[in-house]
Amino acid sequence: MNRNPRYDILFEPVKIGPVTAPNRFYQVPHASGMTEANPRVRSAFRETKAEGGWGVVSTGALSIHPSSDDSPLPYARLWDKNDIRSHALCCDAIHSHGALAAAELWHGGASVMNRTSRIPPYSPSGISWAATHVGFMGNLRPRIMDKKDIRDVIAWQVAAAKRAKNAGFDIVYIYAGMGYLGYEFLLEEYNHRSDEYGGSVKNRVRFVREMIESTKDAVGNNCGVALRISLEELRSKSSDSHSSEAHEVVELLSDLPDLWDVKMDSSPTDCGASRFRPECAHEPIIDFVKKVTEKPVVGVGRFTSPDTMVSQIKRGVLDLIGGARPSIADPFLPNKINEGREGDIRECIGCNICISSWHDGVPVRCTQNATAGEEWRKGWHPERFETPGSDDSILIVGGGPAGLEAGLTAARRGYQVTIADKNTQMGGRLIYETQLPGLTEWGRITDYRLNALKTMSNVNLYLDSNLEVNDILGLEHSRIGIATGAHWTKALYSSLEIAAAELNRPDVYTPDDLALGMIPEGPSLVYDFDNYYLGGVIAESLALQDINVSYATPAGHASAWTIMTNELPFVHQSLEKSGVEVYTQMLLNDFDGKKVTLSNIFTNKPKSLAIKSVIIVGLRLPNDQLYNQLMSRSSEFAQAGIKSVECIGDALAPGALVHAVYSGHEFARQLDRPPDELYLRDIPIAESPPNKVI
Ligand code: ADP
Ligand code: SF4
């Protein structure tokens, strides 16, 4: 198919200082959790995006010096010759597809704890950053930089920029965003200095200006020099001479950088989850930048619609369409638009599981794209599939996220695939969950897969088909995937921090009951020890139905695990807005239909609430009966032509959607492959002997 001429503008080249981006698709710097310990994993991950048409592919933050040490988080470094080699591998791979490679040089200032290097963190005025955020919490306060420290950091930036150029990068960054050192100089809250680096906006900009000037002197003839800056807080500050301090900062630096990469200030707003932030959420903050500078501007907004992208350019908001999450969910997004296949884009759902991987300290994982991070390790390409090793036909029982992904991947490999679901709709748990507040976009998981499956001639989809063992034995399929999901139980939570006896009463519900349309009588209590999104979302949903609802959890926060996806602050805000009373650190001890008795998990202090129904969002167990029944008749498999039966997704191990999709994908990739092949294990590139850190 040909490209829709409406999208031609997206494929125009853009000059960035001495280099030219081949199109307007710019994979902005984003964390990958891939460090110098896994250079091949990293290189293949970034290369796939270049292959998929992104004109610029950036690294995540690259520390310029051991005084910017984010351990134990999985950060990357550009400190020495071995690091140059490691990144050269990535640059070469990106260049092999005609894209530019960008290095996000980074000094974390007071936001890092330097736990490995043991260097007291650097800061303009000794003010710690986000000291209450679990990821950044520490009890070492930063040192106040003197003039020599400032000169040192600039010298380290210059040295790192030269190393970046030697590694093959085309664009190098100065980072003044997200609480890092440059940002701390810009913000008066962090910068209390009385010298020429503090006080007026002009003085506060000086450090960033010197970083840009020195970097340009060092590599500006060969590399584009980009400034990445957060403007949210600065825009909220009034200025005597400008509309805001953000306007003043941008005007003071206007044409100094070759590229402006503009964004919000903190992860929850910068990478807002779709539950709380729509596409284009950055625009009201960054919309003025292009009016102030002649230099190109890149920005993000979880863009997946080419029409929105075109509108950003035509309305003069951006010159380059930045993508982090959309490029993870679909590395081939640009090529699909170029080929007139925009309907095939696997759109990011905004769940922020990719961000949780960073907090977990592992390479990036994505709900929509099971191949992310597995390009080298498992040899999985997002768009290319190994041909079948046999003419086996595949039966998938269950059309939830795991079953649909298994079926689609097997069909793309070329197998004959049947997916049967007992429901009248495909989608499994998503049928209910996408009706809950803020979760509509998660329907993209089902839509993307069903849309693709429906066009394939080697696929049969059956609804209303509750398969039993005899059906499966009689259907003449040789490989069976059991993707029958999981169920929520009424188990409580014990003081030993494990699930305890069930609270079995008719006025006690699980999410499965609500999915079937049952409506609990208010006042209700949602008791949540699953700790991810569902308990909080159900509480919100009941409140929207005018049911008086409270929420209790043994954890310290509502939906406590959402700290990993940057949603936690917004979960609390939205429960508060919905009028849901939140009780944390609570065990549920008793419920008699009129009142519930809670007690503090640490002190045992009791608390009674007048409650008529309880919804327990706690322990899930697999729906593995069908699998077990089938396996108990394995002696009949040969006669039925069955070669293998496998449990996948929640039916194997109940988890988040990312686990179900991954499990389904793996099932299909493993068909006719040796069962003992797990993955390749990466090792650091270390051609030089260990260096002294300087
Ligand atoms: P997962 O997240 O692992 O995909 P889900 O719970 O979302 O799990 O989906 C499981 C799907 O399996 C549901 O759509 C359910 O209707 C279907 N299912 C469960 N048991 C059977 C069965 N015996 N025959 C057909 N479909 C089934
Ligand atoms: Fe988007 Fe979720 Fe994938 Fe991240 S994990 S890229 S938010 S779909």
Side-chain angles (χ1 to χ4, degrees):
M1 277 193 278
N2 291 330
R3 177 166 90 207
N4 184 331
R6 204 161 74 231
Y7 306 138
D8 285 353
I9 194 171
L10 300 174
F11 294 87
E12 292 170 350
V14 179
K15 228 174 143 344
I16 301 170
V19 298
T20 302
N23 59 37
R24 295 184 190 266
F25 293 93
Y26 192 113
Q27 183 250 279
V28 289
H30 73 76
S32 68
M34 296 165 191
T35 67
E36 273 44 73
N38 35 31
R40 295 162 193 84
V41 169
R42 175 168 66 195
S43 169
F45 173 67
R46 301 290 182 191
E47 176 180 4
T48 307
K49 300 180 191 218
E51 187 192 351
W54 294 86
V56 180
V57 176
S58 311
T59 63
L62 290 187
S63 168
I64 59 172
H65 184 264
S67 58
S68 182
D69 155 18
D70 223 357
S71 53
L73 292 168
Y75 74 107
R77 305 161 182 86
L78 192 41
W79 294 351
D80 58 26
K81 280 187 193 154
N82 284 325
D83 293 345
I84 294 176
R85 289 197 170 91
S86 165
H87 290 287
L89 185 77
C90 193
C91 288
D92 290 348
I94 292 167
H95 289 155
S96 71
H97 300 280
L100 300 181
E104 187 190 35
L105 302 184
W106 161 76
H107 196 292
S111 80
V112 289
M113 288 295 136
N114 296 341
R115 290 175 173 98
T116 301
S117 70
R118 305 186 74 174
I119 298 170
Y122 282 50
S123 74
S125 303
I127 312 295
S128 42
W129 184 76
T132 54
H133 185 295
V134 70
F136 307 99
M137 223 184 271
N139 36 30
L140 176 62
R141 298 293 168 243
R143 69 195 256 185
I144 300 169
M145 292 166 74
D146 61 18
K147 295 278 176 58
K148 177 178 178 303
D149 294 330
I150 292 178
R151 284 197 303 277
D152 282 349
V153 172
I154 293 172
W156 296 333
Q157 164 78 17
V158 164
K162 289 179 181 165
R163 288 193 283 270
K165 189 190 83 163
N166 290 342
F169 286 106
D170 309 284
I171 297 169
V172 294
Y173 270 76
I174 288 90
Y175 204 167
M178 306 278 282
Y180 303 134
L181 188 58
Y183 176 91
E184 290 164 17
F185 271 91
L186 293 176
L187 267 281
E188 61 187 355
E189 285 86 347
Y190 297 98
N191 183 345
H192 302 173
R193 300 178 74 94
S194 54
D195 62 5
E196 67 269 34
Y197 291 94
S200 65
V201 175
K202 197 172 168 201
N203 278 358
R204 281 184 266 137
V205 159
R206 192 179 309 276
F207 173 73
V208 174
R209 170 187 290 284
E210 290 178 0
M211 289 280 273
I212 302 171
E213 285 170 347
S214 306
T215 307
K216 284 193 99 168
D217 286 348
V219 299
N221 289 335
N222 306 91
C223 304
V225 173
L227 174 64
R228 189 165 224 213
I229 187 166
S230 294
L231 296 172
E232 193 180 358
E233 199 60 43
L234 286 166
R235 190 150 185 186
S236 71
K237 296 189 183 302
S238 58
S239 148
D240 294 339
S241 49
H242 292 74
S243 310
S244 74
E245 286 199 356
H247 289 75
E248 202 177 341
V249 166
V250 177
E251 195 172 301
L252 280 166
L253 296 173
S254 76
D255 289 343
L256 190 57
D258 297 320
L259 172 74
W260 282 86
D261 181 339
V262 289
K263 63 195 310 242
M264 312 287 261
D265 289 39
S266 68
S267 287
T269 54
D270 190 52
C271 329
S274 59
R275 253 182 94 181
F276 305 106
R277 290 283 185 279
E279 194 181 24
C280 288
H282 293 220
E283 191 178 325
I285 299 297
I286 58 89
D287 57 356
F288 72 95
V289 178
K290 253 189 75 59
K291 297 183 184 79
V292 184
T293 176
E294 295 289 312
K295 295 300 168 84
V297 178
V298 62
V300 292
R302 209 157 36 76
F303 301 122
T304 53
S305 146
D307 288 312
T308 308
M309 298 173 194
V310 169
S311 151
Q312 290 284 310
I313 291 158
K314 291 208 166 150
R315 288 187 296 112
V317 183
L318 298 174
D319 298 292
L320 291 141
I321 301 301
R325 288 171 294 173
S327 75
I328 300 172
D330 196 341
F332 277 64
L333 178 149
N335 280 3
K336 288 178 182 175
I337 299 171
N338 197 22
E339 292 160 11
R341 297 196 296 127
E342 49 276 5
D344 294 346
I345 294 173
R346 189 172 41 233
E347 291 181 281
C348 165
I349 65 164
C351 62
N352 284 1
I353 283 293
C354 46
I355 291 162
S356 77
S357 325
W358 165 259
H359 295 136
D360 273 338
V362 295
V364 81
R365 280 86 177 81
C366 171
T367 301
Q368 273 283 56
N369 176 13
T371 70
E374 303 294 354
E375 300 85 354
W376 182 83
R377 211 169 71 132
K378 293 207 159 200
W380 291 355
H381 190 278
E383 303 292 317
R384 283 195 296 275
F385 300 87
E386 225 177 28
T387 49
S390 66
D391 57 5
D392 289 346
S393 72
I394 319 295
L395 171 66
I396 307 291
V397 187
L404 291 176
E405 176 71 7
L408 178 60
T409 308
R412 283 181 165 162
R413 287 190 59 188
Y415 289 95
Q416 192 66 39
V417 171
T418 297
I419 307 178
D421 198 290
K422 66 179 180 185
N423 218 321
T424 51
Q425 249 181 294
M426 294 287 181
R429 62 189 287 193
L430 284 168
I431 299 169
Y432 167 62
E433 292 185 15
T434 53
Q435 294 165 29
L436 295 170
L439 298 186
T440 321
E441 267 188 43
W442 292 19
R444 291 172 173 180
I445 296 176
T446 311
D447 294 346
Y448 168 74
R449 288 163 182 82
L450 262 188
N451 289 344
L453 284 162
K454 282 179 181 164
T455 63
M456 301 175 88
S457 57
N458 55 336
V459 172
N460 290 308
L461 301 174
Y462 294 103
L463 291 170
D464 247 334
S465 307
N466 189 1
L467 297 194
E468 294 178 3
V469 175
N470 285 337
D471 302 322
I472 296 172
L473 289 173
L475 279 173
E476 297 183 357
H477 292 290
S478 37
R479 306 267 182 198
I480 317 293
I482 304 289
T484 45
H487 60 280
W488 295 92
T489 69
K490 294 183 182 177
L492 286 174
Y493 188 79
S494 84
S495 52
L496 292 176
E497 303 201 0
I498 52 170
E502 296 211 343
L503 185 64
N504 248 326
R505 297 174 49 97
D507 41 15
V508 173
Y509 300 84
T510 69
D512 296 326
D513 298 325
L514 306 195
L516 289 172
M518 293 184 194
I519 300 174
E521 189 185 353
S524 267
L525 176 78
V526 173
Y527 184 58
D528 179 11
F529 62 93
D530 171 64
N531 292 329
Y532 190 17
Y533 59 93
L534 197 60
V537 176
I538 284 177
E540 248 187 278
S541 145
L542 295 176
L544 283 173
Q545 295 170 58
D546 283 334
I547 295 172
N548 181 331
V549 56
S550 300
Y551 169 100
T553 176
H557 293 100
S559 298
W561 194 80
T562 60
I563 185 102
M564 305 295 270
T565 52
N566 289 341
E567 294 166 294
L568 188 74
F570 304 125
V571 170
H572 276 264
Q573 285 167 22
S574 94
L575 287 172
E576 161 102 21
K577 202 166 143 212
S578 314
V580 177
E581 198 68 49
V582 172
Y583 300 92
T584 58
Q585 299 177 6
M586 288 295 186
L587 287 176
L588 196 164
N589 298 322
D590 197 21
F591 174 55
D592 63 8
K594 291 186 190 133
K595 76 170 188 324
V596 73
T597 312
L598 306 171
S599 67
N600 183 281
I601 193 161
F602 301 128
T603 64
N604 290 330
K605 188 175 172 192
K607 168 109 202 145
S608 282
L609 300 174
I611 289 290
K612 289 202 177 139
S613 62
V614 171
I615 300 100
I616 299 179
V617 186
L619 177 71
R620 280 168 88 210
L621 291 174
N623 295 334
D624 53 6
Q625 306 87 331
L626 181 64
Y627 174 77
N628 291 332
Q629 286 164 7
L630 205 48
M631 293 313 283
S632 71
R633 291 177 59 185
S634 56
S635 57
E636 297 168 53
F637 286 0
Q639 204 189 351
I642 294 177
K643 288 190 191 161
S644 66
V645 177
E646 273 182 67
C647 229
I648 52 179
D650 291 325
L652 176 67
L657 295 160
V658 62
H659 303 115
V661 172
Y662 177 82
S663 172
H665 194 88
E666 183 169 54
F667 164 85
R669 291 275 186 174
Q670 276 303 122
L671 291 167
D672 293 314
R673 294 271 300 268
D676 54 348
E677 272 182 20
L678 263 184
Y679 54 80
L680 286 172
R681 187 169 161 216
D682 208 352
I683 49 166
I685 292 176
E687 290 168 23
S688 294
N691 298 83
K692 265 198 180 154
V693 175
I694 43 165

